[in-house]
Amino acid sequence: MDPEFGVGTAPRKRASWRTTLLLAYQSLGVVYGDLSISPLYVYKSTFAEDITHSETNEEIYGALSFVFWTLTLIPLIKYVTIVLRADDNGEGGTFALYSLICRHANVSLLPNRQVADEELSTYKLEYPPEVAQRSRVKEWMEKHKKLHTALLVMVMIGTCMVIGDGVLTPAISVFSAVSGLELSLSKDQREYAVIPITCAILVFLFALQHYGTHRVGFLFAPIVLSWLLCMSAIGLYNIIHWNPHVYQALNPSYMITFLKKTRKSGWMSLGGILLCMTVYPSLILGYMGQAAYLSKHHNFDASYQIGFYIAVPGLAVITVMLVTTCLMSVAIMLCWHRSPLLALAFFLFFGSIEALYFSASLIKFLEGAWVPILLSLILLAVMFVWHHVTIKKYEYDMHNKVTLEWLLALGDKLGMVRVPGIGLVYTDLTSGVPANFSRFVTNLPAFHRVLVFVCVKSVPVPHVLPAERYLVGRVGPPGHCSYRCIVRYGYRDVHQDVDSFETELVESLATFIKLDALFRCSDAGEPRDSSCYERENALTVIGSNPLRRHLGYDDSHDGVSSSAYETRADADSVNGIELAAAPAPAIKKQVRFAVESRSPGVDERVLEELRELCEAREAGTAFILGHSHVQTKPGSSVLKKLAVGVGYNFLRRNCRGPDVALRVPPASLLEVGMVYVL
């Protein structure tokens, strides 16, 4: 990016304390509404095994000690203190960690990585590239391709486990909260009250999602805040009233005593303690208060077990934690450039704790934990098959792409014509002419006067600024009117609708034509050195308003964009091109590309190219997409035939096609059949 043209962006300002408090308040109703209800079932699940309560209270103190140190070590120290520091422009989670690792080391399996992506404002590196290049761990990981696959599979496992847990978590949380009514209901009434009330609350909650997460957060934040305050107050009361010495349980030696006395039953009960990892201060007081009460009431009723509902999340959650620990260990070495010994210490310390809980959770597999695990495995298979075939299709396209010379020679062939309009050829390739275009012109010997090869690609950042979204370049000489446009999206970006994309694409092409003219000629009208700017096949960032103002672009509007354009020449724009919207009753927009013939470095060829772009836009736009069918090579294994020939084609037929995902108008769609033999 050239700072002369204002494409660069200023650093983001630090959020004010008011904004932080507002977001924290709002998150209470969204996140902590689920996390803060663990006291309802942790002790019940923990003591559901064959654990007796002695007068010394060692079992209760041991359980409280496990709860306290689990809350302290994993959520507070591991996540809040360490993991949250490895954020990706404010985004967190398994996928954000993977994105950070892919930026700092070439371990991504996607082959469409470009040097230009590293110039994005959100493409932040912890250390300069020259420092990162000296990492031996980075070189070792980049050299072994199997590690790339293993890393991706690990990320997929973590993501699928989150989804599998999230499918059942709302029902578990609401059911646990409503189960408190059992204390005031008879045994006959429980059957007809708890489950119907749970279902009604779930329907109500999901109906509210239509209004947006922020509104739901504001609605439930006061309720959750009141719950946390009441739980803290009740905990303090129980500590003072029943057992002020319960703080002794914070001694970690009680954990050892607990396991020695309870043996297998205590190890199995760790799956219940795992459920406590939620909101820290209020829960600590709540659990201490519960322990103080139980220390004086040993007839704790464990006859009623939540069973299935408690066992369901006891394995999915801890698997995600293990995945996070592994990814964080890699990020410590690659992103923070810390010693491998430090990363190993992090992995061994937190990994051993989580492995203990993981082993205890395995016992719950047949009691219900298999449900999210099975769902996660199905999702994992879908993700892996889709990703694997996508990579193979990309490699097939790279191998079968046609040369630029073939494209330029088409105009000289007998019977090949250029028809009015703009042709947008969608492709996954970031370079070269895709095979589906050669199939198109072979069967229909004509293509549009303005040809644009469009590649919509994802980059390992959460967001791409609109001013940096478009990479535009030429395919061939200026007279051929063929361009390449790479549209970059982050993994948290929402794709544009076709109307706004089409309008911005035409504006970006016109801006690029003028920018290209400036690069070709100096201010004095002399050609630049060819080493400064490669005129053909070069890609330029197009998008910011300062850049367009520098080039004479004027945007004056009082409404939304329109799709109709017309060419004008008037007193205000002599020898210029103006793209203006057709008049509407109350909404008008004029987008003007003013190119004066007196401008240095601008000649009739630039004016003609802009005029052709304007006329082509007026003639209409066609969207040329590939309609692919995948089949396996003869002699392929049965597993590959099932995964590719059956699984992928089934997914492709039952998923949204590219035309739906890109919101392409059916009247403007041209599909080209492609058979991929993998």
Side-chain angles (χ1 to χ4, degrees):
M1 293 182 292
D2 192 343
E4 176 186 355
F5 297 112
V7 182
T9 57
R12 293 185 302 172
K13 294 183 178 179
R14 188 179 182 88
S16 64
W17 62 271
R18 293 182 180 178
T19 303
T20 303
L21 286 178
L22 183 64
L23 291 175
Y25 174 80
Q26 184 177 338
S27 66
L28 281 173
V30 179
V31 180
Y32 297 138
D34 166 53
L35 300 180
S36 61
I37 62 170
S38 60
L40 297 175
Y41 45 73
V42 168
Y43 278 134
K44 177 173 286 190
S45 179
T46 302
F47 294 114
E49 308 296 339
D50 298 330
I51 299 178
T52 58
H53 306 279
S54 62
E55 293 297 328
T56 60
N57 292 320
E58 290 179 335
E59 297 83 3
I60 295 174
Y61 283 10
L64 175 59
S65 185
F66 265 107
V67 168
F68 173 79
W69 288 108
T70 300
L71 278 170
T72 302
L73 292 177
I74 297 183
L76 184 62
I77 296 181
K78 175 189 168 183
Y79 280 95
V80 176
T81 307
I82 302 176
V83 176
L84 288 184
R85 290 183 57 203
D87 68 298
D88 185 8
N89 293 275
E91 302 293 336
T94 305
F95 204 81
L97 280 173
Y98 181 67
S99 173
L100 277 175
I101 294 172
C102 289
R103 291 213 300 269
H104 288 79
N106 189 17
V107 295
S108 175
L109 294 179
L110 292 175
N112 60 356
R113 184 172 180 174
Q114 294 177 288
V115 177
D117 297 337
E118 301 178 8
E119 299 177 352
L120 292 170
S121 300
T122 50
Y123 200 99
K124 295 180 179 178
L125 300 177
E126 297 291 334
Y127 286 87
E130 57 271 14
V131 177
Q133 293 298 330
R134 295 197 296 265
S135 174
R136 294 183 179 179
V137 176
K138 174 178 177 294
E139 296 176 356
W140 179 71
M141 291 193 65
E142 291 179 342
K143 186 182 301 182
H144 295 80
K145 299 297 182 182
K146 291 184 179 179
L147 290 177
H148 304 179
T149 304
L151 189 65
L152 178 64
V153 170
M154 186 189 306
V155 173
M156 287 182 176
I157 291 175
T159 305
C160 293
M161 289 295 178
V162 171
I163 297 174
D165 174 60
V167 169
L168 299 173
T169 294
I172 299 168
S173 302
V174 176
F175 180 84
S176 300
V178 176
S179 296
L181 295 174
E182 295 172 350
L183 297 176
S184 59
L185 297 176
S186 64
K187 187 175 181 180
D188 296 333
Q189 292 174 328
R190 294 175 185 174
E191 182 180 356
Y192 302 102
V194 176
I195 294 181
I197 292 175
T198 300
C199 295
I201 293 176
L202 286 173
V203 171
F204 173 71
L205 290 176
F206 280 103
L208 289 179
Q209 297 296 321
H210 174 73
Y211 297 99
T213 306
H214 62 289
R215 291 189 176 91
V216 176
F218 272 105
L219 177 63
F220 283 91
I223 301 174
V224 178
L225 183 61
S226 301
W227 160 254
L228 292 174
L229 293 175
C230 290
M231 182 168 57
S232 302
I234 293 173
L236 283 173
Y237 169 80
N238 285 331
I239 293 172
I240 297 172
H241 186 267
W242 294 109
N243 190 351
H245 302 289
V246 74
Y247 68 88
Q248 296 175 358
L250 305 186
N251 187 339
S253 63
Y254 278 100
M255 294 190 290
I256 308 297
T257 304
F258 175 81
L259 292 177
K260 284 183 178 180
K261 292 195 66 173
T262 57
R263 298 183 180 274
K264 182 181 178 180
S265 298
W267 167 72
M268 293 171 61
S269 69
L270 295 181
I273 295 176
L274 176 65
L275 301 171
C276 73
M277 289 186 281
T278 51
V279 190
Y280 189 79
S282 298
L283 292 188
I284 291 296
L285 291 175
Y287 284 119
M288 290 182 69
Q290 283 184 307
Y293 178 85
L294 293 176
S295 66
K296 302 299 181 182
H297 301 79
H298 291 172
N299 57 342
F300 178 64
D301 183 15
S303 59
Y304 179 75
Q305 299 181 31
I306 299 178
F308 170 82
Y309 297 97
I310 288 299
V312 166
L315 193 56
V317 173
I318 195 62
T319 303
V320 178
M321 292 180 179
L322 281 170
V323 170
T324 303
T325 300
C326 295
L327 293 178
M328 192 63 212
S329 301
V330 177
I332 288 174
M333 294 183 290
L334 296 183
C335 304
W336 293 352
H337 293 277
R338 296 292 190 265
S339 169
L341 293 178
L342 181 63
L344 180 62
F346 175 87
F347 175 78
L348 292 178
F349 181 76
F350 291 104
S352 59
I353 297 174
E354 291 160 354
L356 177 64
Y357 284 114
F358 182 80
S359 63
S361 300
L362 287 176
I363 201 67
K364 303 288 186 179
F365 184 82
L366 296 179
E367 300 179 22
W370 62 270
V371 176
I373 300 300
L374 178 62
L375 179 60
S376 300
L377 290 177
I378 294 174
L379 292 173
L380 176 63
V382 169
M383 288 183 181
F384 187 81
V385 169
W386 189 271
H387 185 273
H388 175 74
V389 177
T390 300
I391 296 297
K392 294 299 181 182
K393 286 174 60 179
Y394 188 91
E395 294 174 353
Y396 182 93
D397 285 336
M398 286 290 292
H399 182 73
N400 293 277
K401 68 180 181 179
V402 296
T403 62
L404 178 61
E405 289 74 15
W406 175 88
L407 175 65
L408 299 180
L410 288 178
D412 301 331
K413 291 184 178 180
L414 184 63
M416 185 66 65
V417 296
R418 303 288 292 267
V419 298
I422 300 177
L424 301 182
V425 183
Y426 281 84
T427 174
D428 292 329
L429 299 179
T430 56
S431 63
V433 179
N436 64 340
F437 180 72
S438 64
R439 182 74 59 87
F440 172 74
V441 297
T442 300
N443 292 276
L444 184 64
F447 58 96
H448 297 82
R449 187 69 190 98
V450 175
L451 191 65
V452 186
F453 296 99
V454 180
C455 174
V456 180
K457 60 172 287 190
S458 297
V459 290
V461 295
H463 300 285
V464 176
L465 298 179
E468 302 172 337
R469 190 173 305 283
Y470 295 95
L471 276 174
V472 182
R474 291 192 185 278
V475 179
H480 199 267
C481 291
S482 297
Y483 311 92
R484 182 180 311 282
C485 180
I486 299 177
V487 190
R488 302 178 290 184
Y489 287 96
Y491 56 84
R492 290 294 305 273
D493 282 331
V494 178
H495 287 218
Q496 299 162 284
D497 59 86
V498 166
D499 291 335
S500 63
F501 169 72
E502 190 177 349
T503 301
E504 290 189 10
L505 178 61
V506 173
E507 294 176 358
S508 298
L509 289 176
T511 307
F512 168 76
I513 292 171
K514 299 177 66 178
L515 179 63
D516 185 42
L518 291 180
F519 274 116
R520 286 170 179 270
C521 301
S522 63
D523 292 339
E526 297 178 357
R528 284 178 179 258
D529 186 0
S530 59
S531 63
C532 296
Y533 180 71
E534 181 64 31
R535 293 183 292 181
E536 295 181 5
N537 301 323
L539 294 172
T540 307
V541 179
I542 302 292
S544 68
N545 289 332
L547 171 64
R548 293 176 177 173
R549 286 196 296 270
H550 179 85
L551 296 176
Y553 167 82
D554 181 28
D555 185 3
S556 57
H557 58 88
D558 55 0
V560 298
S561 62
S562 174
S563 59
Y565 290 83
E566 60 184 17
T567 306
R568 291 182 179 179
D570 51 29
D572 296 332
S573 178
V574 181
N575 294 326
I577 301 297
E578 182 177 11
L579 301 183
I587 300 176
K588 292 191 296 183
K589 179 180 180 181
Q590 291 187 343
V591 182
R592 175 179 165 225
F593 301 96
V595 183
E596 302 290 344
S597 59
R598 300 185 299 272
S599 301
V602 176
D603 54 20
E604 289 296 329
R605 289 179 298 176
V606 177
L607 295 175
E608 181 62 27
E609 192 173 1
L610 286 172
R611 189 174 290 110
E612 287 185 352
L613 175 63
C614 184
E615 292 174 354
R617 178 64 183 87
E618 185 176 333
T621 303
F623 299 82
I624 304 172
L625 277 73
H627 185 77
S628 61
H629 177 77
V630 179
Q631 63 185 38
T632 55
K633 296 178 180 178
S636 299
S637 64
V638 177
L639 181 61
K640 185 175 181 180
K641 289 180 179 179
L642 290 175
V644 177
V646 179
Y648 178 82
N649 285 322
F650 174 80
L651 293 173
R652 184 189 56 81
R653 289 192 301 268
N654 291 276
C655 293
R656 295 187 306 168
D659 55 328
V660 179
L662 298 170
R663 302 183 181 94
V664 176
S668 304
L669 176 63
L670 292 173
E671 288 191 301
V672 182
M674 285 289 297
V675 178
Y676 291 86
V677 182
L678 306 179

